[in-house]
Amino acid sequence: MNNEFFTFNGKQYAIFFDNLVVKILKKENDKFLLLSDQELKEINNVLNSKSGYQYDSEKLLEIINSNGNLKNNNYLCNFLQWLENLIPVDSKENFYNNLRTLKTNLNLDIDFSKPIDQSNLGYQEAAGYDTKENELTMNKGSILETWRIANLTQNPTDFFWKSYSQSLLHELAHMSSSKYDSETGVALCGFDKFPPSNEDDKNRGLTEGFTEIISMAGVPGTVEMASGYYIEACLVNQLIQIIGLEAFLKSYFSNLGTVLLEKELCKIINDPTQSFQLFRSIEINFQIKDLKGKQNILGNIQSVLLDYLKKKCEMLLEKGGIDDATSMLAIYEQMMVTPEKLKMMNKNPDDYDGIIESISKFKNLKEQFNYQVSSEKTESPVSM
């Protein structure tokens, strides 16, 4: 085996394997020299920096136990361990740092047996994470409302804990992907930046959609349609089918905005303007989600995404990936926003111009794909 080497502090060090013993020598002027005591100490520190009794899961448990707000909370620990396994290696340190000072208000000390007047509570989100204060709160009013709804189901306890757990994991994902700079007052959370410096820093809708996907994956069996971010989650799931999950995980937990996502889209259709406009439209659609009246933004988003999907299918077929393309189309179809889904969300489908057209566009794409697959033995494939 050839001698191996590495560079440290501008010097080159060679590795020799001699009778099952590892020897490190420094290389100077094409000569191999013994290390000084100081150099040997520095190199040993480098080569043993990741050694010890503590591994990632143990590190997580140590951090949890060092934080009085989290200590002895096995329920919370299960979600944190799940997230630790999901987060890319180069983004875990931020997750650990936030956990060290995380404050939590889980509000599970409510006496559910007593009728509580909610008339003065007002509307509250199910939960919230404050990036500035590094504080997670499960809101009492929402907890009580969830318990009320749970009692209308066949299994109230199961319904309640799935709903509560999904909301909790959603906020823990926000915590895991957040950074706050006290000097500048800038907060990063997922793909979003506040206050924004540029238009493409505004990605709250994308952030909420992917966060919801994470929380639903971690707590299977929740009612997805009941999510306040269901449309955003559908759009993100469509994007995941087109460019893959890895780019989303890296961008979300490393606070890269949409730069990497746009780069992946440009590998399919090389049009930076189109990819930029797509994410701006997703954000605008999120910001106006509660407005009444006609709009065509959602329909346009789905139509543009289908242009990428069509090209992605063509690229897969060129590489012989028929099964991959078939699977992708089957999953993608389940992720589309349809008039039926809008009705179930108590939205008027007639207000969303272009939705029906986008569904027809997908069906045509799928029919053309199936025809091309059946004709693949011909000399020149039919272009979709």
Side-chain angles (χ1 to χ4, degrees), residues 79-286:
F79 295 119
L80 294 174
Q81 287 177 328
W82 186 85
L83 280 169
E84 183 188 36
N85 291 327
L86 182 70
I87 299 170
V89 174
D90 57 358
S91 300
K92 284 187 179 181
E93 203 56 43
N94 180 67
F95 166 66
Y96 296 137
N97 287 338
N98 284 347
L99 270 182
R100 288 185 174 94
T101 58
L102 177 67
K103 299 181 284 290
T104 60
N105 299 305
L106 301 187
N107 284 321
L108 284 174
D109 56 348
I110 298 173
D111 186 352
F112 293 104
S113 65
K114 295 181 179 179
I116 300 178
D117 181 12
Q118 299 182 57
S119 59
N120 295 322
L121 290 175
Y123 172 77
Q124 294 186 51
E125 295 285 352
Y129 172 71
D130 188 325
T131 55
K132 189 174 180 179
E133 301 297 331
N134 193 24
E135 184 171 10
L136 187 158
T137 301
M138 301 295 288
N139 292 318
K140 285 186 177 181
S142 179
I143 292 173
L144 292 167
E145 177 64 9
T146 301
W147 180 243
R148 183 189 69 79
I149 296 173
N151 278 280
L152 302 176
T153 67
Q154 292 182 338
N155 192 333
T157 301
D158 181 68
F159 181 95
F160 173 82
W161 281 111
K162 280 184 177 178
S163 179
Y164 182 93
S165 297
Q166 189 260 322
S167 295
L168 175 61
L169 184 54
H170 182 106
E171 302 309 328
L172 287 172
H174 277 319
M175 178 276 300
S176 305
S177 65
S178 291
K179 297 183 182 78
Y180 176 71
D181 188 326
S182 59
E183 293 185 5
T184 63
V186 172
L188 302 176
C189 184
F191 311 100
D192 196 44
K193 176 181 178 182
F194 182 83
S197 301
N198 303 294
E199 197 64 32
D200 54 2
D201 290 332
K202 303 174 185 178
N203 295 294
R204 185 65 177 266
L206 194 71
T207 297
E208 294 294 0
F210 190 61
T211 306
E212 197 72 336
I213 288 171
I214 290 173
S215 65
M216 289 179 176
V219 186
T222 53
V223 184
E224 296 181 3
M225 192 72 69
S227 165
Y229 306 116
Y230 181 72
I231 288 177
E232 288 70 36
C234 284
L235 296 178
V236 172
N237 269 319
Q238 291 173 40
L239 274 162
I240 288 173
Q241 292 306 306
I242 295 168
I243 63 177
L245 180 61
E246 185 178 347
F248 269 90
L249 289 172
K250 182 176 180 61
S251 297
Y252 178 85
F253 286 110
S254 296
N255 307 113
L256 302 181
T258 60
V259 174
L260 180 58
L261 304 182
E262 292 182 46
K263 183 178 178 181
E264 292 299 314
L265 286 174
C266 284
K267 291 179 182 179
I268 301 171
I269 297 178
N270 189 16
D271 187 343
T273 299
Q274 178 170 292
S275 60
F276 172 85
Q277 290 177 350
L278 172 65
F279 288 110
R280 294 311 94 227
S281 294
I282 290 174
E283 179 63 13
I284 293 170
N285 185 69
F286 172 73

Side-chain angles (χ1 to χ4, degrees), residues 42-58:
E42 291 175 351
I43 292 301
N44 280 331
N45 285 338
V46 170
L47 297 183
N48 295 287
S49 63
K50 296 178 176 62
S51 300
Y53 295 105
Q54 186 169 292
Y55 293 83
D56 279 351
S57 58
E58 292 183 23

Side-chain angles (χ1 to χ4, degrees), residues 294-295 338-344 346-356:
K294 281 190 173 292
Q295 64 120 301
T338 64
E340 292 73 24
K341 289 179 180 179
L342 290 170
K343 285 181 182 177
M344 293 177 69
N346 294 320
K347 295 181 180 292
N348 183 0
D350 294 336
D351 286 343
Y352 293 85
D353 289 352
I355 288 293
I356 293 176

Side-chain angles (χ1 to χ4, degrees), residues 303-316:
S303 180
V304 171
L305 287 171
L306 287 171
D307 292 337
Y308 287 106
L309 180 68
K310 175 182 175 181
K311 184 62 178 177
K312 181 67 179 286
C313 283
E314 291 174 353
M315 294 168 67
L316 287 172

